[in-house]
Amino acid sequence: MAEFDLIEIIKQLTRQNRPDVRIGIGDDAAVVCVPPDCELVICSDTLVSGVHFPVNTDPADIGWKSLAVNLSDLAAMGATPAWATLAMTLPVADSGFVERFAKGFAELAAAWEVDLVGGDTTRGPLSITVTAHGFVPAGQAIQRSGATVGDAVYVTGTLGDAAAGLRILQSASALGAESGAHERFVVTRLNRPQARIGAGTALRELASACIDISDGLLADLGHVASSSAVGIEIGEDCLPQSTALAECFDAETRTGLQMWGGDDYELAFTIAEANVEVMREAMERQGCRVSRIGRVIDEPGVHVLDHNGRRRPTTSKGWDHFK
Amino acid sequence: MAEFDLIEIIKQLTRQNRPDVRIGIGDDAAVVCVPPDCELVICSDTLVSGVHFPVNTDPADIGWKSLAVNLSDLAAMGATPAWATLAMTLPVADSGFVERFAKGFAELAAAWEVDLVGGDTTRGPLSITVTAHGFVPAGQAIQRSGATVGDAVYVTGTLGDAAAGLRILQSASALGAESGAHERFVVTRLNRPQARIGAGTALRELASACIDISDGLLADLGHVASSSAVGIEIGEDCLPQSTALAECFDAETRTGLQMWGGDDYELAFTIAEANVEVMREAMERQGCRVSRIGRVIDEPGVHVLDHNGRRRPTTSKGWDHFK
């Protein structure tokens, strides 16, 4: 199995036929067209085996997740996804791995009409880098730096599920047939994150700042706070949780997973009170749950209030890839 | 040393201030503008330690080369480079490594005004993926598939130097102070390839097909031949060689390095006879040496003629990353 055969497998499984792709996989580079009046949004994320996913993860899940984490970054900017490149490093030319990987990747790519336009296949320790490209109408990208004192702070979906899923996988050798629905739910949240593309584009003219929660809620709110030169105060009791999380862990553990757990790929955003009602209606149309978790304040840092309204001593340090 | 500090080092060293970068490093994604009437050209290449460069390579050389191999792909399409993203996987958060890497990367980036707009820094076995972006006037990208029977075949620069450099490094533990100028020349050709951007843009309306020589001359001409559904015949005696190559190796070894050696990052292109004179003048203005090495023929495959004009039995297999 040679490099060119692997590329052919990937190409066959991921073909999308977007009209804005002039030259796709198979030349020195891809050639594509950005719509007039749109800006191009670019992000790049790497998944390393044993660091970003357990070594025995299904290749189809790795394929899905390698694209999802990038689409999530596009979503946080309010962008509509368009194209991706894939740099895949594999210890051996394993066509079975590549086929399953490409199927998982293609499943998510097809859902958002993302065309894989190029990349590289190399030999080495298992690692995947996807670079994703999308569009925003000129000037409408949502930045981290727009949060204003008095804004409300919201998150989409539920928090802590992916970290719960990882904990369950680490405590069991595999998720067996006897595993409960709750365990399967949180493990799916870990392996098959849903990028909040619809929510992100709906927030374009409404949110003042937005970020995707990849490093953990407190860490990522910390990025918004420092970029915007404000502080954020959140209520511990306001953090949205899934039924599965509530069933699997005690309250103290749950709160930890919700605040520090990474890999949620939900959006956290700040929004002026005047825009909240329109935003809630837009999110309802998307079928996207949103929860108010706090507010933007003058005092720097991210602060957590317990159920008595008292500040908890916390650190805003989330997932650092070199810790 | 945390991830955010590494990103800050890279950001400080690579800042370019291009006016078409709306949002650079520091948000969930970058936001950039493609000029009207231009198409966007995208490519992505990975360098893995011990596979694409010797493990003891100077980090500054790795930084330079990780960008150069991508700019070379842009050059082969006739594109003008604009932006890059960098996905860097490192075993430990080594700020010394990152600083030297970023300096090498920035040196080449500054030469072509390429702005590093984003990326990812992760922990794992040393590996670098750069995704580069450039522009071509709409419809003017040079493809591999346009070669026509009767076209002349040309290459830029000289061939085989990088492979010679690798062979010298592999036979010595390090390039000592006593090494000759020729040895230093070919090792520099290996570690600091020059992407042929000026030549590529000049070829846009002249060449019928173009490719960069990364996998080896015969392998890459094979890609042109199969994409264009033609064959290519080259003369062994026509392959351009540097003085350094001629001084370091015997004739038989030299020919092997020139035909199968990878990492040259010169351009190979086909061109109608009617365009040859204009092309030669354009290349002279660029200060770029070009050599006619063969012609496009009807019969499939890549064929090599020896100095008597007889076909040599060869294989067109070059560098396959999984061999």
Side-chain angles (χ1 to χ4, degrees), chain A residues 2-4 6 22-23 26-34 39-46 48 51-52 73 76-77 83 85 87 89-90 92-93 119-125 129 131 133 141 143-144 210-212 215 223 320-322, chain B residues 2-4 6 22-23 26-34 39-46 48 51-52 73 76-77 83 85 87 89-90 92-93 119-125 129 131 133 141 143-144 210-212 215 223 320-322:
Chain A
E3 185 181 5
F4 304 110
L6 297 181
R22 296 285 181 268
I23 302 172
D27 215 303
D28 288 68
V31 179
V32 294
C33 297
V34 176
E39 288 167 347
L40 177 70
V41 185
I42 310 171
C43 60
S44 196
D45 260 332
T46 301
V48 179
V51 179
H52 301 92
D73 280 323
M77 305 301 286
W83 320 293
T85 60
T89 301
L90 291 175
V92 290
D120 195 12
T121 315
T122 51
R123 181 171 57 79
T129 297
T131 304
H133 301 79
Q143 298 188 239
R144 296 178 178 178
C210 189
I211 195 168
D212 83 319
D215 293 342
H223 299 323
D320 183 320
H321 301 292
F322 287 101
Chain B
E3 185 181 5
F4 304 110
L6 296 181
R22 297 285 181 269
I23 303 171
D27 215 302
D28 288 68
V31 179
V32 294
C33 297
V34 176
E39 289 167 346
L40 177 69
V41 184
I42 311 172
C43 59
S44 196
D45 261 332
T46 301
V48 178
V51 179
H52 301 92
D73 280 325
M77 306 300 287
W83 321 293
T85 61
T89 302
L90 290 176
V92 291
D120 195 13
T121 315
T122 52
R123 181 171 56 79
T129 297
T131 304
H133 300 79
Q143 298 188 238
R144 296 178 178 180
C210 189
I211 194 166
D212 81 319
D215 294 342
H223 300 323
D320 182 322
H321 300 294
F322 286 103

Side-chain angles (χ1 to χ4, degrees), chain A:
Chain A
M1 180 68 44
E3 185 181 5
F4 304 110
D5 304 318
L6 297 181
I7 294 169
E8 197 51 40
I9 292 172
I10 295 169
K11 185 176 165 182
Q12 290 306 325
L13 287 167
T14 60
R15 188 172 292 176
Q16 290 289 326
N17 296 318
R18 286 179 67 100
D20 53 13
V21 177
R22 296 285 181 268
I23 302 172
I25 292 174
D27 215 303
D28 288 68
V31 179
V32 294
C33 297
V34 176
D37 307 324
C38 276
E39 288 167 347
L40 177 70
V41 185
I42 310 171
C43 60
S44 196
D45 260 332
T46 301
L47 302 185
V48 179
S49 180
V51 179
H52 301 92
F53 55 84
V55 288
N56 58 350
T57 303
D58 182 341
D61 289 339
I62 303 171
W64 173 289
K65 191 164 181 172
S66 68
L67 179 59
V69 300
N70 279 285
L71 296 190
S72 179
D73 280 323
L74 294 184
M77 305 301 286
T80 306
W83 320 293
T85 60
L86 166 64
M88 175 186 266
T89 301
L90 291 175
V92 290
D94 175 348
S95 64
F97 180 97
V98 169
E99 264 175 47
R100 285 199 60 73
F101 177 96
K103 277 184 185 160
F105 185 100
E107 205 180 319
L108 181 60
W112 295 107
E113 290 177 38
V114 173
D115 209 343
L116 184 67
V117 295
D120 195 12
T121 315
T122 51
R123 181 171 57 79
L126 180 58
S127 161
I128 311 291
T129 297
V130 169
T131 304
H133 301 79
F135 318 132
V136 282
Q140 289 190 22
I142 316 168
Q143 298 188 239
R144 296 178 178 178
S145 54
T148 305
V149 174
D151 286 351
V153 179
Y154 276 82
V155 292
T156 61
T158 56
L159 299 172
D161 298 323
L166 182 61
R167 195 169 286 204
I168 283 170
L169 286 184
Q170 284 170 338
S171 64
S173 63
L175 203 63
E178 75 288 358
S179 301
H182 297 317
E183 284 83 357
R184 286 198 300 275
F185 175 86
V186 293
V187 169
T188 301
R189 290 274 286 161
L190 173 70
N191 286 333
R192 297 263 173 161
Q194 295 287 348
R196 294 291 189 183
I197 299 290
T201 52
L203 288 172
R204 265 192 316 238
E205 291 184 284
L206 298 171
S208 53
C210 189
I211 195 168
D212 83 319
I213 306 171
S214 52
D215 293 342
L217 177 66
L218 293 196
D220 287 315
L221 289 180
H223 299 323
V224 171
S226 60
S227 298
S228 301
V230 296
I232 288 177
E233 190 172 64
I234 63 170
E236 185 181 293
D237 286 354
C238 305
L239 305 182
Q241 67 184 11
S242 65
T243 310
L245 188 72
E247 294 291 333
C248 292
F249 294 96
D250 63 57
E252 190 65 21
T253 307
R254 287 200 301 270
T255 305
L257 295 170
Q258 291 177 297
M259 292 201 296
W260 288 284
D263 268 0
D264 278 328
Y265 303 104
E266 297 293 347
L267 299 181
F269 58 95
T270 61
I271 184 166
E273 290 291 352
N275 290 339
V276 164
E277 201 180 316
V278 178
M279 177 276 290
R280 283 194 162 280
E281 286 163 8
M283 292 297 160
E284 207 171 324
R285 280 194 299 276
Q286 298 278 341
C288 179
R289 173 178 176 174
V290 288
S291 308
R292 181 189 287 243
I293 61 166
R295 64 196 180 98
V296 178
I297 59 173
D298 218 345
E299 185 190 348
V302 179
H303 309 277
V304 180
L305 303 181
D306 68 16
H307 61 281
N308 293 316
R310 279 193 295 259
R311 283 204 181 165
R312 276 174 63 126
T314 58
T315 154
S316 68
K317 295 286 176 210
W319 175 251
D320 183 320
H321 301 292
F322 287 101
K323 264 198 317 199

Side-chain angles (χ1 to χ4, degrees), chain B residues 17-30:
Chain B
N17 296 317
R18 284 180 68 100
D20 54 12
V21 177
R22 297 285 181 269
I23 303 171
I25 292 173
D27 215 302
D28 288 68

